[in-house]
């Protein structure tokens, strides 16, 4: 253990002993699940920096856009606007499919998204 780690461990032990950490939010509850469990250790810092900066990988940005369009479709009452939104959703799904084709040849997620957008376009709720 290097000197900085030892100093940090000692300070944490002192804070625990004096009760300085007792009133922290979430005290006594389990830690949240690690949402980076599937990310290799050498990429975790990069993923955290990008996520904290509000940047997402392109496929997640497209999925976010599909969700936004699905919400708009659900609330849309004008037929012309609905047709435009459906056209836009198809274009985004196509871009996502092309992007995911480079990552994996088939995508059950795309099939589910198509079914979800179709249901929302008909005014039905999510399954």
């Amino acid at each position: 253990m290097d000197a900085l780690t030892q100093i940090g461990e000692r300070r944490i032990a002192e804070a625990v002993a004096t009760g300085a950490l007792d009133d922290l939010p979430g005290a006594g509850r389990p830690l949240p699940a690690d949402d980076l469990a599937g990310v290799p250790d050498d990429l975790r810092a990069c993923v955290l920096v990008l996520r904290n900066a509000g940047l997402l990988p392109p496929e997640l940005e497209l999925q976010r856009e599909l969700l936004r369009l699905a919400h708009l479709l659900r609330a849309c009452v004008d037929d012309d606007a609905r047709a435009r939104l459906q056209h836009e959703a198809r274009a985004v799904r196509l871009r996502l499919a092309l992007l995911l084709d480079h990552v994996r040849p088939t995508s059950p997620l795309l099939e589910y998204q198509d079914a979800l957008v179709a249901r929302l376009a008909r005014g039905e709720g999510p399954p």
Side-chain angles (χ1 to χ4, degrees):
M1 202 180 311
D2 65 7
L4 289 176
T5 303
Q6 289 177 350
I7 291 170
E9 292 292 331
R10 187 169 12 114
R11 296 255 173 112
I12 291 172
E14 289 170 2
V16 169
T18 61
L21 303 177
D22 290 345
D23 60 346
L24 292 176
R29 293 192 307 245
L31 292 173
D34 184 11
D35 60 343
L36 297 178
V39 177
D41 291 338
D42 57 333
L43 296 178
R44 284 184 184 209
C46 296
V47 170
L48 283 172
V49 168
L50 290 173
R51 185 175 66 188
N52 291 341
L55 301 173
L56 291 175
E59 61 272 14
L60 291 182
E61 287 288 351
L62 290 172
Q63 289 173 3
R64 178 190 285 178
E65 178 66 11
L66 277 175
L67 286 174
R68 184 187 73 79
L69 290 169
H71 289 293
L72 289 173
L73 276 167
R74 187 174 26 202
C76 187
V77 293
D78 180 38
D79 289 337
D80 291 336
R82 178 178 295 280
R84 185 183 52 78
L85 288 170
Q86 288 172 336
H87 177 73
E88 190 176 343
R90 281 192 297 274
V92 172
R93 281 196 307 276
L94 178 60
R95 284 197 312 266
L96 182 59
L98 291 172
L99 180 66
L100 291 178
D101 257 0
H102 295 289
V103 178
R104 57 183 182 269
T106 60
S107 176
L109 173 64
L110 288 176
E111 294 171 18
Y112 175 74
Q113 285 177 339
D114 287 342
L116 180 61
V117 169
R119 282 183 69 125
L120 292 173
R122 291 190 304 266
E124 301 173 13

